[in-house]
Amino acid sequence: MDLTRTPAWTALKTERKAWNALHLRDLFKKDKQRFERFSLALDDEFLLDYSKNLIRPQTLRLLLKLAKESALVPLRDAMFAGERINLTEGRAVLHTALRNRSERPVEVDGRDVMPDVREMLARMRAFADRVRTGKWKGYSGKPITDVVNIGIGGSDLGPAMACLALKPYGGNLRAHFVSNVDPSHLYDTLEDLDPATTLFIVASKTFTTQETLLNAQAARAWLLSNLPSPPGTSPKGAGRDEVAVPSEARDGPKVHRRAGDEGATHPVAKHFVAVSTNEAAVRAFGIDPANMFGFWDWVGGRYSLWSAIGLPIALYIGMDAFEEMLEGAFDLDEHFRTAPLEANMPVLLGLLGLWYNNFWDSQAYAVLPYEQRLARFPAYLQQLDMESSGKGVQRDGKPVKASTGPIVFGEPGSNGQHAFYQLIHQGAKLIPCDFLAGRESHNDVNGQHAVLLSNFLAQTEALMRGKTAVEAEAELVRAGMARRELKALLPHKVFPGNRPSNSILYRKLTPRTLGRLIALYEHKVFVQAALWNINAYDQWGVELGKQLAQVLLPELTGAPAKVGSHDASTEGLIARLRAA
Ligand code: G6Q
């Protein structure tokens, strides 16, 4: 369905023109109820204030009309019902089943997936408990102290973001994440680790991703080269770098015993587990399927941290806290599924996203957490939003009629304030922002949390109000500036204001809060995609990258390619790299 041809779209174009004469500071002055009118609380713990957006009641009415004219509601219901809405891959989209905390069955082709989900959670719990309590021992008989997740994209960003966010809930285990095929990433991570107490999680949905498999092979070689022998066995020349890499390190061991057997077993069985949907490839790599945690094709990579891909989170914060995260996401799922559109947070955020993207020609949007531990949240959202919304054709394959996904960026405030906020305040582009802040801090010292919050408030207010020429001039006069100087400086001191933002205010960054935040954005992305009529669940651009690298590798390391098989730039670069 082409939304740009609907009456609501046409009316929104007119509404946009009306906004040329409107300013938020006036609307706030006129309407004392604006905050109450344009804010929404899930409960005492979670509030969305969207009153500092370029909307008035009729704008919102028209946006909601657009939502009703679109396929949003049927598509949402189809997603929750397990229909194969990921058309290009013929798959259901059921990350919501992973955090379905009700007794409701969720069926794919008539089969309830919930028993499998519960079994997966139970296995994760049993394993996390054993590792966290030291019952799971490494090959040398020592308990695990460090967990290294090897994965990339959806098999990395979510768990890495969540472990950082939930540091106050971390136990004794340290969590590390290696994603980049740049060998320095693994090298730097392993530098300070002891193989005897390190557990690797190889996380790959397909188990064919080059970066992950290469890093996993290198990690296995490191383990086998450096692992001290278990007490009471003949030494293999224990000690770092003294043992030749056994052939298994190159080809993969042929036989394994059951995971957790306390007797002699292959070191890989004690130090490697896999998370994947591809059992054959896991086995071929040399990891015993007993050490494998599976999931399903109806879990998209960037939506997979709720599945066994979340194992590093469960190991780090414990399974109870991991399940609290699931509870938080479930809160948002229930809200998205049942709340009326006008009181539905993801729907409102999605509509606002479309409003700026399509009617204000805004190219980017910023995510600004006033919470240092959400430092990786913008990177996580980049993947979630840009991989899902970066599409140029509609669900039926026809070109999109309106611009789709925005460029997402962000950094924690207040760091961002001292860097790129300048562009948001006075630049020539409109950049809507989401500000995220917690009422309480886990570590308030020296009253600094209040300083952080005052910065958050000051920014949203300044963006909204701006500073008029009259105000700026009065300031300069007060500062004693001479007339002539003042005239020259004045235009630079004016802030247009009318720059929109959402504020998401939560009580404290708990596992439940994090679950809510992530699910809120997942559903916001869903809403936008439904309005644009694009498939948010495939990623052919990512697949392209995977293919291209395979072609070029032999040309860098093996026989040179025939002259003329690439463009002149690529050939020039290959020649330079080969010469190095
Ligand atoms: C996510 C994408 C992509 C994927 C990675 C890793 O939605 O599909 O980021 O997660 O390419 O893929 P594997 O998990 O299969 O290694």
Side-chain angles (χ1 to χ4, degrees):
M1 112 147 264
D2 180 4
L3 263 205
T4 62
R5 300 172 81 96
T6 58
W9 192 278
T10 311
L12 278 163
K13 278 186 168 164
T14 311
E15 174 65 4
R16 166 65 189 88
K17 284 197 193 119
W19 266 90
N20 290 336
L22 294 173
H23 199 290
L24 278 175
R25 66 154 71 192
D26 303 326
L27 298 185
F28 268 100
K29 218 179 276 167
K30 270 193 226 141
D31 180 3
K32 297 292 171 218
Q33 298 301 307
R34 193 171 163 92
F35 172 75
E36 283 73 25
R37 196 182 308 285
F38 294 133
S39 64
L40 188 60
L42 199 60
D43 52 26
D44 284 351
E45 310 258 312
F46 203 81
L47 172 91
L48 166 67
D49 169 17
Y50 59 101
S51 60
K52 291 193 184 93
N53 277 289
L54 302 169
I55 52 167
R56 51 182 181 167
Q58 54 264 54
T59 322
L60 199 57
R61 266 199 303 278
L62 289 173
L63 286 168
L64 287 162
K65 186 161 180 263
L66 191 74
K68 284 176 196 146
E69 286 172 6
S70 77
L72 168 63
V73 170
L75 204 61
R76 174 195 67 187
D77 296 345
M79 173 176 76
F80 279 101
E83 285 175 34
R84 294 180 185 269
I85 63 164
N86 175 358
L87 294 174
T88 59
E89 296 178 320
R91 292 175 181 165
V93 174
L94 273 182
H95 42 284
T96 50
L98 302 168
R99 65 240 185 167
N100 170 20
R101 313 299 285 173
S102 74
E103 294 304 314
R104 273 195 311 272
V106 180
E107 292 184 353
V108 177
D109 298 336
R111 183 174 172 272
D112 183 12
V113 300
M114 287 314 297
D116 291 349
V117 170
R118 292 192 191 101
E119 192 198 323
M120 169 205 75
L121 290 173
R123 278 195 70 209
M124 285 172 71
R125 177 177 286 279
F127 181 70
D129 286 353
R130 287 189 71 195
V131 176
R132 285 168 60 84
T133 55
K135 287 194 188 120
W136 176 285
K137 303 268 193 293
Y139 185 61
S140 322
K142 292 189 182 165
I144 299 300
T145 57
D146 292 85
V147 175
V148 181
N149 187 76
I150 299 179
I152 196 164
S155 300
D156 165 71
L157 283 161
M161 175 275 290
C163 285
L164 177 60
L166 299 176
K167 189 163 185 294
Y169 300 86
N172 295 330
L173 293 176
R174 284 180 293 263
H176 312 266
F177 293 85
V178 174
S179 49
N180 202 324
V181 75
D182 178 346
S184 306
H185 200 178
L186 184 70
Y187 182 91
D188 288 350
T189 307
L190 297 185
E191 203 175 24
D192 297 324
L193 298 189
D194 178 356
T197 57
T198 299
L199 177 76
F200 292 96
I201 302 175
V202 187
S204 174
K205 179 174 168 182
T206 54
F207 228 78
T208 56
T209 304
Q210 188 189 36
E211 292 91 332
T212 300
L213 293 188
L214 284 172
N215 276 327
Q217 278 158 13
R220 185 171 57 189
W222 172 84
L223 178 92
L224 296 176
S225 303
N226 296 296
L227 196 62
S229 306
T233 62
S234 58
K236 294 194 310 175
R240 285 173 182 250
D241 302 326
E242 288 172 18
V243 184
V245 178
S247 62
E248 292 97 313
R250 297 188 297 271
D251 315 323
K254 302 287 178 281
V255 186
H256 295 296
R257 305 202 175 181
R258 174 166 293 282
D261 281 356
E262 299 306 331
T265 178
H266 196 279
V268 170
K270 291 296 188 181
H271 293 271
F272 271 79
V273 297
V275 182
S276 186
T277 56
N278 185 348
E279 186 179 321
V282 167
R283 199 189 286 272
F285 178 85
I287 296 178
D288 192 324
N291 276 1
M292 171 178 159
F293 296 81
F295 59 112
W296 308 275
D297 73 354
W298 42 261
V299 183
R302 54 194 169 278
Y303 300 87
S304 63
L305 89 165
W306 319 102
S307 72
I309 288 288
L311 191 62
I313 313 173
L315 285 163
Y316 184 59
I317 63 173
M319 198 61 190
D320 286 346
F322 181 75
E323 293 208 24
E324 256 181 58
M325 225 179 89
L326 302 184
E327 298 278 352
F330 182 60
D331 293 341
L332 239 298
D333 293 345
E334 289 299 86
H335 169 77
F336 179 47
R337 205 172 57 80
T338 59
L341 298 188
E342 62 279 10
N344 194 311
M345 287 190 192
V347 172
L348 292 169
L349 287 181
L351 286 171
L352 289 166
L354 173 131
W355 174 230
Y356 297 121
N357 200 71
N358 297 116
F359 295 90
W360 291 79
D361 199 24
S362 137
Q363 301 295 311
Y365 106 91
V367 186
L368 309 166
Y370 277 67
E371 178 94 58
Q372 181 58 31
R373 293 196 181 107
L374 285 178
R376 296 293 289 158
F377 197 63
Y380 173 76
L381 283 190
Q382 270 175 342
Q383 181 189 31
L384 177 66
D385 200 323
M386 292 164 78
E387 215 165 81
S388 301
S389 317
K391 309 290 159 63
V393 294
Q394 300 183 56
R395 290 167 63 77
D396 59 8
K398 297 203 181 103
V400 290
K401 294 285 167 48
S403 169
T404 55
I407 299 153
V408 182
F409 72 104
E411 276 289 323
S414 51
N415 298 3
Q417 285 175 215
H418 294 264
F420 56 80
Y421 278 33
Q422 169 61 34
L423 180 82
I424 305 177
H425 280 288
Q426 288 188 304
K429 293 181 167 61
L430 180 80
I431 303 182
C433 304
D434 284 0
F435 286 81
L436 277 52
R439 273 155 41 205
E440 293 170 30
S441 163
H442 283 283
N443 311 88
D444 197 11
V445 278
N446 201 21
Q448 282 182 218
H449 188 61
V451 177
L452 180 76
L453 292 182
S454 62
N455 271 280
F456 144 63
L457 289 172
Q459 290 295 327
T460 64
E461 189 174 32
L463 286 167
M464 181 279 283
R465 285 177 53 86
K467 193 185 283 177
T468 62
V470 174
E471 287 167 340
E473 185 172 346
E475 242 178 48
L476 295 175
V477 169
R478 270 200 305 278
M481 187 169 280
R483 253 300 124 209
R484 253 189 67 198
E485 223 183 314
L486 185 149
K487 227 178 143 205
L489 189 58
L490 190 58
H492 302 275
K493 293 285 218 172
V494 171
F495 290 74
N498 234 11
R499 309 247 151 157
S501 68
N502 291 301
S503 295
I504 297 170
L505 195 62
Y506 47 83
R507 187 180 61 76
K508 197 172 187 171
L509 189 57
T510 61
R512 189 169 201 130
T513 306
L514 185 67
R516 288 176 168 195
L517 274 176
I518 301 170
L520 173 64
Y521 280 101
E522 283 177 349
H523 294 321
K524 175 208 165 179
V525 167
F526 176 92
V527 171
Q528 287 183 166
L531 296 169
W532 289 322
N533 194 28
I534 56 176
N535 182 11
Y537 298 100
D538 58 12
Q539 56 285 314
W540 300 107
V542 176
E543 313 303 332
L544 175 71
K546 292 184 181 183
Q547 277 167 19
L548 294 181
Q550 304 280 8
V551 173
L552 275 159
L553 179 64
E555 296 177 12
L556 271 185
T557 54
K562 256 200 358 252
V563 177
S565 40
H566 296 285
D567 59 87
S569 160
T570 308
E571 283 186 357
L573 293 168
I574 292 177
R576 186 58 65 90
L577 286 166
R578 286 183 69 97

